[in-house]
Structure formats: C-alpha cells, structure tokens
Amino acid sequence: MTTHNTIAVSVEAMLEDLRTLVEVESPSRDLDTLRKSAETVAGVIEARLGGRAVLVESEGGPHVHWSGGGTPRVLVLGHHDTVFPLGTLARRPFLVEDGRATGPGVFDMLGGLVQAIHGLAGLEDRSGVEILVTADEEVGSHFSRALIEERALACGAVLVAEGAADGGAVKTGRKGCGTFEVSVAGRASHAGLEPAAGVNALVEAAHQVLDIAALARPEIGTTVTPTVASAGTLDNVVPAQATVVVDVRVESADEKERVESAFAALAPHLDEAVITVKGSVSRPPMPESAAAGLFAVARQLLPGLEGRAVGGGSDGNFTAALGVPTLDGLGAVGGGAHADHEYLLVGSMAERARLVAGLVDAIRSA
C-alpha cells in the first residue's frame, strides 16, 4: 500500500491538464462540444493512467469510462458537462493568478477530475479502480443514471470528485432534489370586452404558486421554491396558458413522497381551469450513513478534515440511495459553482489528489 503523503503529484502538470479541459467548452445538451470534451477527457486519462478510456454513447452526449483492470473495487465518479453557454471562455478565459485558477468549470467540476486522475497516476497499482465521467449531470443525469448505478453496484464504493463544501469540507450528505413543472390551461378572451368569458390562467397560476410555496418545511430541510413563471400573450388578452417551474429539495424519503403526492393532488381554484403537473424528486436524498465509513478513513488520511451535509445534489445521490458507500466533495477546494466568480484554490490541489489516492488504496486493502 502506497503511503498517501508520499504520492508524487505535480501541481504544474495538473494545471496544464485543467487548462486543456477548461478550454474545450462543454455546455450540457450541446452534443458537438460534449463529444470534443469527452474525447479530451479520455485523452487526459489515457496520457496519465495508460490503458484505454472508452466513450459510452448516450442521447445526452458521450460518457467516458476507464478501468484499471482486475476486480472492480472503487468507482471515481464525475462529469464533464458544465452549466456555462458556449462563448463563456472568450469572456472568462482560463487564468491562474494569486493562488487561484479561474475559468468556466474549474470548480464544478473539471478541477476535481484532474486531481483524481493525477492522484491515481501516483499509485503503482491501479487495478480495481474505475473512472466514470458523465455528460449530463448538470441537467439531471437522465441518460447516465443507469450506467452510474450499474458501475457503483459492481465496484461497491464510490468517490465523487465534485467540488468541496465551504472550507474544503467533504460532502457527507446531500438533499434529494428535483424539478416540477405546473401547467395551467385556461381560456382566452378579450380583456376589455369580455374578461368574464375567459378563464385567466395567470390568476390560477398565482393561486398555485401560493399553494406550492406552502408545501415547504424548512425546519426539516424541505425547500419548495417557485423559480420560473410564464403566462399570457398580449396585454389585452385574458391569458389561456401559464407555466410555473419549481425547485424542490428534501432530506428524507418520507418528504420526497409527501411532496410528490402534494404536487399530484394540486387542484384548480378557478372553474374550468385545468392543472397538469410534470416532474419528480429525481435525485433521492444521500443519507449521511452512506458516507460514514469512508469519511472515517478520509479523516485518518487527512486529520482535521471536516464533513458537511449540503443542499445541492450530485450523482452521488444515486449511488448512496443504492446502499453503496459514497463519499462526495472530494474534488476542488474553491467556490462560486455556476457563477462568474467560480475559482479553484491551487494550493489545495496536491493534497486533494493524494486524498483520493489514499482512499482508493484504503478501500482496496480493506
């Protein structure tokens, strides 16, 4: 077993690979750029770890899968899609200054990918390790979930290279999360001549927004947040259609069921209005029990390491829900995920790379 603190990693080489990945933009759902991104990720993996990184085709873009051979023991999980639209790089190029790396996707989550790859490269024996880098995490993992679950069950332990929580804490729990879309069908009429002849979908949507917001139970971690609304066509027409999009986060399976049932039971307030609901809590909660064993090992490797339960979801939610031991937030230390001020702290890169390698060794030795 390699001593985790003696694993050789080069921060300069990691930054070189990070630049390579950032400069291939990879917005979710853009299949052409995601293909180029997947090919680039595969190239970095092969250059640093040897072997062959296979592109797994999907409707959401190509996923990248690499195996070190032997009996599967641990899955390193990540994604190469980002939330930033094509062209962001021109406005916000990759830059390293004052101990920070910036650019689209450095923290969420290209930095974590690079660190994990370089940590594994420091191991003489890479057998039993698999890497899966998906193409659609930022948009719900609809086309990667089955593959993620299959490889997690085959390996029996999962290390998620998503960005760390504040202060570098790993993520030991995550809320379940999902999106609901509530559509209202009314009836159009002239707003001046015959307002009463219409069924005002916007007024109905206003009632629904209040009903929906009342489903939240923040005292037990359930947030129900209407986020996007649209209605109407012209200023003199009673609107016939309205749509409300809602973000939901829950900490327990019971709350998932309660909220989903409540959405299914939404009823109109106006006569003749019709409500249609789509969506679910698609990522199940990641209970802290799933991370407990791996977190204890991580703290032995890096004394003082903190663990934190967070509100955001990741693909670790899926693996933890299967009962597979899962530790998340092992990636970049930094902040600003999904924002223009996104950054990675260069000084933490080597330590995090060694942490992933040490965890892999410990899992295989158990």
Side-chain angles (χ1 to χ4, degrees):
M1 179 169 159
T2 313
T3 304
H4 127 270
N5 285 325
T6 64
I7 293 169
V9 290
S10 163
V11 174
E12 190 175 318
M14 282 194 279
L15 288 171
E16 179 185 316
D17 285 348
L18 181 56
R19 175 188 292 275
T20 298
L21 295 187
V22 170
E23 291 184 346
V24 179
E25 292 183 276
S26 53
S28 306
R29 297 193 177 103
D30 188 323
L31 300 186
D32 290 337
T33 60
L34 287 170
R35 174 161 301 281
K36 188 177 178 186
S37 171
E39 290 169 351
T40 307
V41 169
V44 170
I45 291 173
E46 290 175 353
R48 299 300 178 185
L49 300 177
R52 180 158 175 259
V54 177
L55 265 56
V56 182
E57 300 297 336
S58 89
E59 291 179 50
H63 315 309
V64 183
H65 182 244
W66 176 89
S67 170
T71 303
R73 296 292 304 278
V74 57
L75 176 67
V76 176
L77 186 56
H79 63 89
H80 65 97
D81 64 319
T82 66
V83 301
F84 300 102
L86 210 56
T88 302
L89 187 71
R91 182 170 54 83
R92 205 155 54 81
F94 180 77
L95 196 62
V96 180
E97 61 181 13
D98 299 328
R100 292 185 173 203
T102 54
V106 288
F107 178 69
D108 186 11
M109 62 159 286
L110 302 174
L113 282 183
V114 168
Q115 290 167 188
I117 292 164
H118 280 256
L120 296 176
L123 297 174
E124 292 175 23
D125 175 16
R126 296 164 201 158
S127 64
V129 185
E130 294 189 14
I131 300 174
L132 178 59
V133 187
T134 64
D136 63 343
E137 192 273 346
E138 294 290 8
V139 289
S141 306
H142 302 295
F143 301 110
S144 56
R145 180 174 180 173
L147 179 61
I148 292 164
E149 292 177 339
E150 174 199 310
R151 297 324 306 158
L153 288 167
C155 291
V158 177
L159 305 177
V160 185
E162 289 274 9
D166 289 349
V170 292
K171 295 172 180 177
T172 52
R174 285 185 179 271
K175 290 184 180 183
C177 52
T179 303
F180 290 81
E181 184 178 285
V182 179
S183 300
V184 180
R187 184 171 60 245
S189 67
H190 194 295
L193 297 176
E194 298 184 292
V199 178
N200 194 316
L202 177 54
V203 172
E204 180 60 58
H207 285 293
Q208 295 299 322
V209 164
L210 295 176
D211 291 348
I212 289 164
L215 298 175
R217 289 185 180 170
E219 69 279 4
I220 56 171
T222 301
T223 59
V224 181
T225 310
T227 53
V228 181
S230 61
T233 52
L234 294 168
D235 59 2
N236 62 351
V237 178
V238 171
Q241 300 288 336
T243 305
V244 178
V245 180
V246 187
D247 178 278
V248 173
R249 312 274 165 156
V250 299
E251 286 186 3
S252 70
D254 286 348
E255 278 296 276
K256 174 186 186 299
E257 290 180 22
R258 180 187 71 83
V259 172
E260 288 178 341
S261 296
F263 270 93
L266 288 174
H269 290 249
L270 304 183
D271 290 343
E272 298 185 73
V274 178
I275 308 294
T276 307
V277 178
K278 293 192 297 186
S280 66
V281 180
S282 53
R283 288 185 197 272
M286 174 183 165
E288 293 193 66
S289 57
L294 292 174
F295 179 50
V297 175
R299 291 198 72 167
Q300 290 176 344
L301 294 167
L302 194 60
L305 180 69
E306 292 187 5
R308 195 165 300 152
V310 297
S314 84
D315 287 336
N317 290 56
F318 297 135
T319 64
L322 294 171
V324 177
T326 300
L327 187 58
D328 204 337
L330 288 162
V333 178
H338 299 192
D340 276 359
H341 66 279
E342 182 184 23
Y343 68 95
L344 170 154
L345 294 177
V346 174
S348 297
M349 292 183 79
E351 181 178 79
R352 298 301 272 214
R354 293 188 180 106
L355 177 60
V356 170
L359 280 163
V360 166
D361 245 0
I363 291 164
R364 293 186 305 186
S365 302

